Amino acid sequence: MTDTPPSDDRTTDEIDAADREPLFDRIPRRDFMKAGAAAGAMGSLAGCTSLLKDDDDSLASASEVGAYVPPGEHDDYYAFLGAGQSGEIRVYGVPSMRQLMRIPVFQTDSASGYGYDNRTSEMLEDAGGYTWGDAHHPRVSQTDNDYDGRWAFVNDKANGRMARVDLEYFETDAIVDVPNQQGTHGACCLLPDTKYVFGVGELRVPMPNDGRDLDDPDAYTSVLAAIDPETMNVEWEVEVDGNMDNADSGKEGRWFFATGYNSESGVSESEMSASDTDWVKAFDVPAIEEAVENGEYEEIGGVPVVDGTRDSPLNDGDRPIVRYVDVAKSPHGISVTPDGKYAIASGKLDPTASVIDIETLGEADDPNESIVARPNLGMGPLHTAYDGRGHAYTTLFIDSEVVKWDIEAAVEAYPEEEPDPDDEKESPAVVERISVHYNPGHLIAAESYTADPQGDWLISLNKLSKDRFLNVGPMKPENDQLIYIGDDDEGMKLVKDTPSYAEPHDASIVSADKINPADVYDPADYDAEFVGGEDSEITREDGRVHVRMYSMRNEFGFEDVTVQEGDEVTFTVTNIERTPDILHSLAIPEYDINLKLAPQDTREVTFTADEPGVYWMYCAFFCSALHMEMRSRLIVEPAE
Ligand code: CUK
Ligand code: CUA
């Protein structure tokens, strides 16, 4: 962001200040001074833990605003957080912010045995065999613009994948490696009814990326991928100009929006941010489907790819498949208002948000006529959430604030002509601001992505915690802050800091009554063969041994299993118990095996018994007073 070479001894505040410089001519001077003064004050208080005093009226105690959830009581909401480069989805209860579960998606996980049994390791292998992922945008499926509790989808920004989590069992049940996409960034279901899950390709690469056009960046493209939520098959893709970034769906089944930077088609930072404008791309989904039906595509990587670049003949007529709306430089987040009227794109390198009127977009000849507001919000606007009462809440990355503003007031205040770039005023639509700690990325309000947000809780997912927690070494936790937004008169109240492990991006907050997880597995829901209490058996054939056995408190189906060195051994193990919360596992030391066995679940693992010896197979979940005794011997006899 800066031409000054970074020196090794700058403080974070100095780096923040340097980050502002290239934005200086684009932001109101008054805001800059204010932000600068705040940064200075912060520096002088470094090490002081009481930046927020008790009399700070932006603070509220948990009990004052109903955020206290006593021990043993349940939360009102599930929050599903895309845990970034940890590769997983995390589940919090809201408003307690208690971490309830972690759902491994793109990484293996030793506690849950994810990636260790045949089913999940084959799924990860088929999806490219990567061992990590960057999970950003968990979006829960909807029917009629409301959560239906079936699935959560999440993208892998690193390796171009989309995963599906089954919300009956809270486990990943499908991952697709999206062809022609190097980084799948934005992710969202097509609303109202989750007809597709869209994966938004961020990085432009040669098409296909097979060694052609290596140093011809003009030939690189990025694609939008439409994935069938039931089959996880990529149905079609659309090629566009410029990078894409974040995305959201209209509420009516027609429009899908993606922000994008790099309309310049550059490869360096300065090339990518040269132009003062970039695009929001508005995909007209039925028009694209029609093009696919009419065979107007090229098959690349096994997928029909429709040409949605600006020069495409498909963008020529009166029903273009992709409309390119000019917005201020390098927009980042985009989200559609609950009433489906507007798509709001946040400026990132520009202090404004661009408000697109969706109905106008469908009617006007010039898509730029659909811009109906550009409120000046502050420095580094990234993402916007809604309370259902007409307010938008936008994170300001550089200012470390959440700003609340009135959407219709911004539309009313918008000048007929272009806004004056020297206009120093913050938008009159701004209602209030609250400081967050520090540098927020996404924020999410309860059910903000539906037609009917709840309007009580908001979580600001902050990238830095600096000195807010006990020092745990150079890698600090992130800070997920709970903010009460339920009282417009009293204003926003900061209620809780929640340290979290790197690095939550987007989240979805869903009313608890819309999610119905199972307590025990239903064997009809999986392929592996259920091994009942009477069914334990060992079969041998040509160096292959298949051990079928049950598990229960406090035993496995066999006390000893004897195989020959070099045998290919398959264990099929069922937990035959029906008691909720009683899990067993089959851990085999030195063979790197741990199968988690929830009640009525069956898991399989296949390995080669290549080391002679005695191996105590044991249960790794502390399941009863005799848990330590729940073990059997695997005896591997040396080959003759
Ligand atoms: S991106 Cu991470 S802070 Cu993937 Cu939605 Cu904006
Ligand atoms: Cu079963 Cu411990």
Side-chain angles (χ1 to χ4, degrees):
M1 267 189 176
T2 169
D3 295 333
T4 321
S7 65
D8 290 336
D9 51 2
R10 292 190 303 172
T11 65
T12 43
D13 294 324
E14 284 164 350
I15 294 170
D16 282 354
D19 268 357
R20 293 163 198 272
E21 263 169 49
L23 305 173
F24 184 69
D25 56 346
R26 303 196 53 83
I27 60 155
R29 168 165 287 270
R30 202 198 55 203
D31 286 359
F32 178 78
M33 299 305 288
K34 192 197 79 185
M42 200 74 77
S44 67
L45 282 172
C48 170
T49 51
S50 54
L51 282 175
L52 290 165
K53 298 288 188 310
D54 289 344
D55 58 0
D56 184 331
D57 72 357
S58 72
L59 273 180
S61 72
S63 50
E64 274 175 291
V65 291
Y68 176 63
V69 183
E73 291 195 9
H74 291 178
D75 281 289
D76 296 331
Y77 300 99
Y78 291 91
F80 298 92
L81 287 79
Q85 62 274 41
S86 291
E88 64 190 13
I89 288 180
R90 285 195 203 122
V91 187
Y92 289 3
V94 174
S96 74
M97 299 296 277
R98 297 180 294 208
Q99 181 178 300
L100 305 176
M101 187 43 66
R102 297 165 40 194
I103 307 171
V105 180
F106 298 118
Q107 88 285 27
T108 59
D109 179 62
S110 74
S112 63
Y114 182 77
Y116 294 84
D117 70 327
N118 287 353
R119 194 192 326 161
T120 56
S121 63
E122 280 161 22
M123 179 173 71
L124 287 166
E125 197 53 44
D126 291 348
Y130 310 106
T131 61
W132 76 289
D134 193 358
H136 280 214
H137 301 109
R139 295 297 190 102
V140 174
S141 56
Q142 298 193 31
T143 300
D144 199 15
N145 283 316
D146 194 8
Y147 291 125
D148 59 23
R150 297 179 74 187
W151 298 304
F153 299 91
V154 68
N155 65 301
D156 176 7
K157 183 182 184 307
N159 302 304
R161 294 179 292 176
M162 184 70 72
R164 184 178 69 194
V165 170
D166 172 322
L167 290 180
E168 184 179 2
Y169 295 116
F170 274 49
E171 65 182 29
T172 306
D173 73 348
I175 305 177
V176 57
D177 193 357
V178 182
N180 309 321
Q181 246 178 37
Q182 194 157 86
T184 300
H185 192 187
C188 184
C189 309
L190 181 68
L191 300 177
D193 298 320
T194 314
K195 180 173 186 185
Y196 302 110
V197 181
F198 284 111
V200 175
E202 175 166 356
L203 305 172
R204 300 167 65 254
V205 287
M207 231 357 219
N209 194 11
D210 58 0
R212 72 187 69 192
D213 299 332
L214 294 179
D215 207 18
D216 183 10
D218 282 335
Y220 301 176
T221 53
S222 56
V223 297
L224 174 79
I227 301 163
D228 182 300
E230 302 263 355
T231 63
M232 291 298 278
N233 183 53
V234 179
E235 299 289 299
W236 44 258
E237 293 181 340
V238 184
E239 245 181 311
V240 295
D241 288 316
N243 286 41
M244 288 191 282
D245 199 2
N246 278 277
D248 201 16
S249 171
K251 305 285 191 208
E252 72 310 280
R254 177 172 177 191
W255 295 107
F256 188 79
F257 301 92
T259 53
Y261 57 102
N262 195 18
S263 54
E264 302 86 346
S265 302
V267 290
S268 68
E269 182 202 284
S270 55
E271 285 167 11
M272 288 192 264
S273 52
S275 163
D276 270 347
T277 58
D278 282 291
W279 301 300
V280 164
K281 286 147 202 150
F283 295 86
D284 188 335
V285 176
I288 296 165
E289 289 174 322
E290 200 184 307
V292 175
E293 250 161 58
N294 296 340
E296 292 169 293
Y297 60 79
E298 192 185 339
E299 186 147 326
I300 306 174
V303 178
V305 180
V306 181
D307 183 0
T309 57
R310 276 167 311 154
D311 296 338
S312 164
L314 293 168
N315 280 334
D316 228 9
D318 53 3
R319 186 85 190 259
I321 61 168
V322 183
R323 284 173 210 212
Y324 288 73
V325 186
D326 291 321
V327 294
K329 187 176 194 152
S330 299
H332 183 65
I334 186 161
S335 55
V336 171
T337 53
D339 56 13
K341 263 176 95 172
Y342 306 114
I344 299 181
S346 305
K348 191 176 76 177
L349 300 188
D350 183 278
T352 65
S354 299
V355 180
I356 296 170
D357 182 276
I358 295 174
E359 202 178 309
T360 309
L361 180 71
E363 291 162 357
D365 290 337
D366 176 2
N368 291 335
E369 283 172 27
S370 66
I371 303 271
V372 293
R374 249 188 83 187
N376 185 334
L377 301 173
M379 304 250 307
L382 288 191
H383 291 283
T384 298
Y386 307 104
D387 63 10
R389 301 187 300 270
H391 303 118
Y393 299 77
T394 301
T395 46
L396 301 175
F397 179 81
I398 296 176
D399 279 344
S400 282
E401 285 178 340
V402 169
V403 54
K404 172 181 177 181
W405 52 286
D406 183 305
I407 302 163
E408 290 300 341
V411 173
E412 273 161 37
Y414 188 61
E416 297 283 306
E417 67 280 5
E418 268 298 285
D420 174 0
D422 297 324
D423 185 355
E424 296 191 357
K425 289 191 295 294
E426 89 173 5
S427 167
V430 169
V431 177
E432 61 166 320
R433 303 165 181 276
I434 190 168
S435 292
V436 294
H437 312 84
Y438 301 91
N439 302 82
H442 271 271
L443 80 178
I444 182 69
E447 307 208 321
S448 180
Y449 289 130
T450 72
D452 191 18
Q454 300 292 317
D456 45 6
W457 301 110
L458 180 142
I459 303 174
S460 177
L461 300 163
N462 308 317
K463 301 299 185 186
L464 306 185
S465 63
K466 298 188 184 177
D467 56 2
R468 280 179 86 85
F469 304 111
L470 283 178
N471 192 358
V472 288
M475 179 171 166
K476 316 292 183 203
E478 328 282 297
N479 188 9
D480 304 335
Q481 288 187 304
L482 180 73
I483 296 170
Y484 181 63
I485 57 168
D487 188 332
D488 290 329
D489 297 328
E490 289 291 314
M492 293 184 276
K493 300 288 180 201
L494 173 63
V495 184
K496 276 180 197 189
D497 274 19
T498 312
S500 67
Y501 191 61
E503 170 191 332
H505 286 252
D506 197 4
S508 292
I509 303 181
V510 182
S511 289
D513 60 3
K514 293 175 187 169
I515 307 284
N516 291 300
D519 272 324
V520 299
Y521 277 84
D522 179 349
D525 286 343
Y526 55 77
D527 290 337
E529 118 193 59
F530 187 92
V531 185
E534 312 279 281
D535 306 334
S536 293
E537 61 167 356
I538 300 176
T539 55
R540 297 167 202 272
E541 199 192 329
D542 300 337
R544 274 196 243 157
V545 182
H546 194 154
V547 182
R548 294 175 179 84
M549 66 183 191
Y550 67 85
S551 63
M552 61 178 282
R553 279 166 289 179
N554 304 295
E555 62 189 39
F556 293 107
F558 293 105
E559 287 183 349
D560 294 319
V561 172
T562 301
V563 302
Q564 304 295 307
E565 178 184 353
D567 280 348
E568 184 193 282
V569 182
T570 297
F571 274 90
T572 304
V573 193
T574 299
N575 175 353
I576 60 173
E577 301 205 40
R578 292 178 180 280
T579 316
D581 207 12
I582 298 299
L583 274 69
H584 305 293
S585 83
L586 178 75
I588 310 183
E590 296 175 36
Y591 279 96
D592 198 26
I593 287 165
N594 185 31
L595 302 185
K596 176 203 73 176
L597 300 162
Q600 297 283 300
D601 195 11
T602 301
R603 298 278 161 170
E604 271 182 2
V605 65
T606 302
F607 61 99
T608 303
D610 48 11
E611 291 290 336
V614 173
Y615 302 90
W616 282 103
M617 305 186 287
Y618 76 106
C619 165
F621 282 94
F622 204 110
C623 51
S624 79
L626 283 166
H627 153 78
M628 309 307 296
E629 289 78 359
M630 184 173 171
R631 53 187 169 126
S632 301
R633 284 184 305 169
L634 171 67
I635 297 170
V636 183
E637 295 178 341
E640 304 281 292

